[in-house]
Amino acid sequence: NKEKGELNAKVHKERIFGAHVASYMNDIAEMKKSNPDEKITQFDRFAKAGLKAGDIEGMYKKAHTDIRADPMKRLAKKAPVKGAKSKAFNIKKLTLKERKAASAAKVAAIRKQHGK
């Protein structure tokens, strides 16, 4: 309660462990049952993963224990794709000799094409 400057630990714990998310998940499930024709896509990925509203608190507890065990964020290493070209945004500039040679090659190709 902000006005009294008190902390309700039970409410705080419920927010941390996602009780409000589980409640909303139940509301969405009821809306889907009452109106099956309406397309409601919220929490579809949770459903595909087999998570139900009752599993949310366990999911958050597991996440908190994993973070306490190793707080450093680790990204999965991706294997390089075979045959993929690297994106070269910083293309090497050609020297004057190389630019003149490329220009001469283009002129020669155009002359050959027009029969001169």
Side-chain angles (χ1 to χ4, degrees):
N1 191 350
K2 285 185 179 181
E3 296 162 358
K4 294 180 182 177
E6 296 174 352
L7 174 69
N8 187 344
K10 184 181 177 188
V11 172
H12 192 60
K13 181 182 175 191
E14 287 176 355
R15 294 299 276 192
I16 290 173
F17 289 112
H20 61 293
V21 176
S23 171
Y24 186 60
M25 224 170 142
N26 285 330
D27 294 345
I28 295 294
E30 287 177 21
M31 283 196 313
K32 281 184 180 180
K33 286 179 186 174
S34 67
N35 195 356
D37 297 336
E38 187 177 343
K39 184 175 181 177
I40 301 172
T41 60
Q42 290 157 313
F43 299 110
D44 277 357
R45 290 189 182 186
F46 280 40
K48 286 179 186 174
L51 281 172
K52 295 188 171 112
D55 303 332
I56 297 293
E57 185 176 346
M59 179 183 74
Y60 276 107
K61 282 184 179 179
K62 183 182 178 311
H64 285 279
T65 56
D66 290 347
I67 290 169
R68 283 188 196 101
D70 186 16
M72 295 300 296
K73 182 178 180 179
R74 305 243 190 292
L75 297 175
K77 300 239 177 182
K78 293 182 181 179
V81 180
K82 290 186 179 181
K85 294 181 181 180
S86 71
K87 295 178 181 176
F89 296 111
N90 53 347
I91 298 169
K92 184 182 168 242
K93 290 185 177 182
L94 299 176
T95 63
L96 180 63
K97 263 187 185 177
E98 291 169 335
R99 288 196 309 264
K100 284 188 176 184
S103 177
K106 286 179 188 177
V107 169
I110 292 171
R111 284 188 177 159
K112 184 178 178 182
Q113 192 178 43
H114 292 296
K116 290 183 181 180

